[in-house]
Amino acid sequence: MASDRIFGAVVTLVALAYIASATQIQSGFMSDPVGPRTFPILIGSVAALCGMVIAIRPDPDPEWPELATLGALVASAVVLIGYAYALKPLGFLLPTAIAAGFLSFQIQPKANAAALAGVGLSVGLFLVFKFALGLGLVAFPKMLMG
């Protein structure tokens, strides 16, 4: 319960600082009647309200996952960070297949199914992003494409 109260207090303080910074937004002479400050102040107000609710009515103490689960989460985060760095030099298909396969293996540890899921997601997402959405993705590394 203490962790929820601390988190709620931090969220409330950050939201109040966000609202304070939103009040400093300058409006131009050709702005709409609502002005540019309204939306950020509204978002900050909702965040502050949510933080106060969490601080006032915390959940019971959580059951933290085992060390193996935390290790799997850290490994998944490392794979996703590596994926972000590997996209440009290696193209879309290979890093996506590896990352999707690894994450699929985390969900259900069957190597063949995870490999098929990784390749299927990689090719399927490439087709959707490249041809349906028109994104300028590179399929393979530029050194292979010439």
Side-chain angles (χ1 to χ4, degrees):
M1 287 181 23
S3 62
D4 281 354
R5 290 186 194 274
I6 293 169
F7 177 72
V10 169
V11 167
T12 303
L13 290 174
V14 169
L16 292 174
Y18 181 76
I19 292 169
S21 67
T23 61
Q24 302 301 316
I25 296 174
Q26 300 292 323
S27 57
F29 68 95
M30 295 285 292
S31 65
D32 60 278
V34 176
R37 292 181 226 145
T38 305
F39 185 71
I41 291 174
L42 181 66
I43 295 297
S45 300
V46 170
L49 179 67
C50 291
M52 287 187 283
V53 168
I54 290 171
I56 293 170
R57 299 191 56 177
D59 287 337
D61 285 332
E63 292 182 28
W64 292 96
E66 298 174 8
L67 193 57
T69 304
L70 290 175
L73 289 172
V74 168
S76 297
V78 168
V79 165
L80 289 174
I81 291 168
Y83 170 70
Y85 282 106
L87 275 174
K88 190 168 185 173
L90 299 178
F92 183 82
L93 292 176
L94 182 62
T96 304
I98 292 169
F102 179 82
L103 295 174
S104 296
F105 188 79
Q106 292 289 332
I107 294 169
Q108 187 169 6
K110 293 184 179 179
N112 291 337
L116 288 173
V119 171
L121 279 169
S122 178
V123 172
L125 288 173
F126 179 78
L127 293 174
V128 169
F129 291 156
K130 179 79 173 177
F131 299 111
L133 298 176
L135 298 179
L137 294 179
V138 177
F140 296 105
K142 291 184 181 181
M143 62 186 158
L144 292 178
M145 301 302 289

